[in-house]
Amino acid sequence: MSTAGVKVEGAARLRRELRRAGDDLDDMTAAHRTVAQIVAAIAQASTPRRSGALAATVRGSGTKTRASVRAGYKRTPYAGIIHYGTPPGYARHYQPQPWIQLAATQGEPRWVRHYQQAVDKALAKVRGAA
């Protein structure tokens, strides 16, 4: 199953510079978590619904290196099928409904602005320590 994402050019270099300046990257963890929560809130509102069980599983998380939005648990294993669809030829063909990817696109102005502010703040912190 493929995953969609946004790659930030220079993110590895930023992490390297922050580590060199002695920062433990907690600022970026918080920024990634906030970005993921922005997208997750939009995705939760636009999740395809029958019972609402799938929408209740949408969540965002952040680490030092990435923001992630996930959906589904053991009790709702169909999240990937709903999002990505199934290839033709399966017993039951489902069209893809990439609501999480669409949420990331829809919320892009908001989360990019937040991410840029976090990167600028981290860089200012490094420059002040240098």
Side-chain angles (χ1 to χ4, degrees), residues 43-102:
Q44 191 172 37
S46 61
T47 302
R49 295 174 193 268
R50 283 196 182 165
S51 68
L54 182 58
T57 69
V58 177
R59 64 222 181 263
S61 64
T63 67
K64 293 177 183 182
T65 59
R66 71 175 8 161
S68 298
V69 177
R70 294 181 177 92
Y73 289 113
K74 188 174 184 177
R75 296 185 81 173
T76 52
Y78 47 85
I81 291 172
I82 301 296
H83 194 271
Y84 296 106
T86 56
Y90 268 53
R92 187 158 180 193
H93 181 63
Y94 289 93
Q95 291 294 327
Q97 299 180 58
W99 82 96
I100 296 173
Q101 289 171 303
L102 294 173

Side-chain angles (χ1 to χ4, degrees), residues 27 30-36 38 108-120:
D27 293 345
H32 288 136
R33 185 180 313 111
T34 301
V35 164
I38 290 168
E108 187 173 357
R110 186 170 163 210
W111 65 256
V112 165
R113 184 172 49 253
H114 178 79
Y115 191 75
Q116 183 64 50
Q117 289 169 351
V119 168
D120 290 344

Side-chain angles (χ1 to χ4, degrees), residues 8-20 123:
V8 178
E9 286 189 32
R13 181 176 176 207
L14 171 65
R15 289 191 302 271
R16 189 171 47 251
E17 293 297 322
L18 289 171
R19 273 194 298 277
R20 195 169 68 192
L123 288 172

